[in-house]
């Protein structure tokens, strides 16, 4: 299970990380120190479970929980970790799986994580479509998802690069990202990559970061805004 730790106190994050590291079946894939950063990490890393503090600067944990509730595609199960008892009812109204009071003990954390794990929604993509459709010269080409390596937007079109070549899609990157969150990750405002086929993160002479992807020669650029997120999910692969 992929776990995101959210707390504005560095020592609190370190303590949770150490306890997580001792638990089988749970891996920390990222950290956040405020609510806005938490939402960005949830969107980028798609953690199964988020350990969420309540009182934080910029955007508190309750606001994060409301945003997660209103965006079902995020699908992270929330476990609150807080020093305050007075938000428990509101937390469970927002469908939190647990409410742990600090200092959190290892035993209570493990119990809460195991309970949260039972609530994790797994939606196999096998139940959805297995191909992308590309129209060319009056015919429709079906491209298997497992062959797709890169999706890149330019002007009004999205180009799919796959093991058999490339084609133009009449779909938006945003829709593809939302439909296949586990398969394709955003690395730039104009690019999604196939997670299973990323081979390396490289830096060129100009200081720009690029991804090397199996079976294709194109190396998509990683935006500065998303660089930390890309590093985080690469470490979790």
């Amino acid at each position: 299970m992929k776990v995101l730790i959210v707390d504005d106190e560095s020592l609190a994050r370190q303590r949770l990380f150490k306890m997580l590291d001792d638990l089988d079946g749970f891996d920390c894939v990222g950290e956040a120190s405020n609510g806005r950063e938490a939402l960005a990490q949830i969107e980028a890393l798609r953690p199964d479970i988020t350990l969420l503090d309540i009182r934080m600067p910029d955007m508190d944990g309750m606001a994060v929980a409301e945003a997660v509730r209103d965006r079902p595609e995020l699908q992270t199960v929330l476990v609150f970790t807080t020093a305050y008892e007075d938000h428990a009812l509101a937390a469970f109204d927002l469908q939190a799986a647990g409410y742990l009071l600090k200092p959190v003990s290892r035993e209570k954390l493990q119990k809460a994580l195991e309970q949260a794990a039972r609530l994790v929604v797994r939606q196999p993509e096998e139940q959805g479509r297995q191909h992308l459709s590309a129209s060319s010269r009056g015919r429709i080409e079906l491209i298997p998802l497992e062959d797709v390596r890169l999706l890149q937007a330019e002007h009004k079109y999205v180009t799919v690069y796959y093991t058999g070549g490339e084609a133009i899609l009449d779909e938006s990157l945003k829709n593809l990202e939302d439909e296949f969150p586990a398969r394709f990750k955003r690395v730039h405002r104009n690019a999604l990559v196939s997670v299973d086929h990323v081979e390396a993160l490289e830096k060129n002479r100009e200081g720009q970061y690029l991804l090397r992807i199996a079976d294709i020669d194109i190396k998509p650029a990683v935006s500065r805004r998303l660089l930390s997120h890309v590093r985080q999910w690469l470490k979790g692969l």
Side-chain angles (χ1 to χ4, degrees), residues 203-210 224:
K203 189 176 183 180
N204 64 17
R205 294 180 179 178
E206 290 73 36
Q208 188 176 37
Y209 284 90
L210 309 172
R224 291 182 180 180

Side-chain angles (χ1 to χ4, degrees), residues 1-19:
M1 289 283 166
K2 299 186 296 182
V3 182
L4 174 67
I5 297 173
V6 182
D7 199 299
D8 64 328
E9 296 180 3
S10 176
L11 289 177
R13 296 197 305 273
Q14 292 175 24
R15 188 169 184 273
L16 287 172
F17 179 87
K18 188 176 185 305
M19 286 191 287

Side-chain angles (χ1 to χ4, degrees), residues 35 39 52 54 59-69 80 94:
L39 275 182
L52 183 63
I54 289 182
M59 182 181 188
D60 68 17
M62 301 305 292
V64 173
E66 290 172 359
V68 169
R69 178 198 59 193
F80 283 98
L94 290 168

Side-chain angles (χ1 to χ4, degrees), residues 143-206:
I143 302 168
L145 288 176
E146 59 265 25
D147 291 348
V148 176
R149 299 295 184 264
L150 170 66
L151 295 154
Q152 205 159 40
E154 186 174 358
H155 303 301
K156 297 181 180 180
Y157 303 99
V158 171
T159 301
V160 54
Y161 297 91
Y162 61 105
T163 53
E166 62 185 76
I168 302 296
L169 303 178
D170 188 20
E171 300 190 63
S172 72
L173 279 186
K174 184 66 171 68
N175 287 343
L176 291 166
E177 182 182 25
D178 290 344
E179 185 175 358
F180 305 107
R183 188 181 290 270
F184 304 125
K185 293 293 186 184
R186 187 175 292 272
V187 299
H188 195 279
R189 61 179 177 80
N190 69 348
L192 302 175
V193 299
S194 172
V195 174
D196 293 337
H197 300 99
V198 174
E199 294 183 334
L201 177 65
E202 303 175 341
K203 189 176 183 180
N204 64 17
R205 294 180 179 178
E206 290 73 36

Side-chain angles (χ1 to χ4, degrees), residues 70-104:
D70 295 339
R71 295 183 58 188
E73 75 275 10
L74 296 181
Q75 294 182 353
T76 188
V77 177
L78 301 178
V79 174
F80 283 98
T81 58
T82 178
Y84 305 95
E85 299 181 2
D86 51 343
H87 294 286
L89 289 177
F92 288 114
D93 282 343
L94 290 168
Q95 301 178 341
Y99 193 93
L100 301 177
L101 290 176
K102 297 177 181 178
V104 178

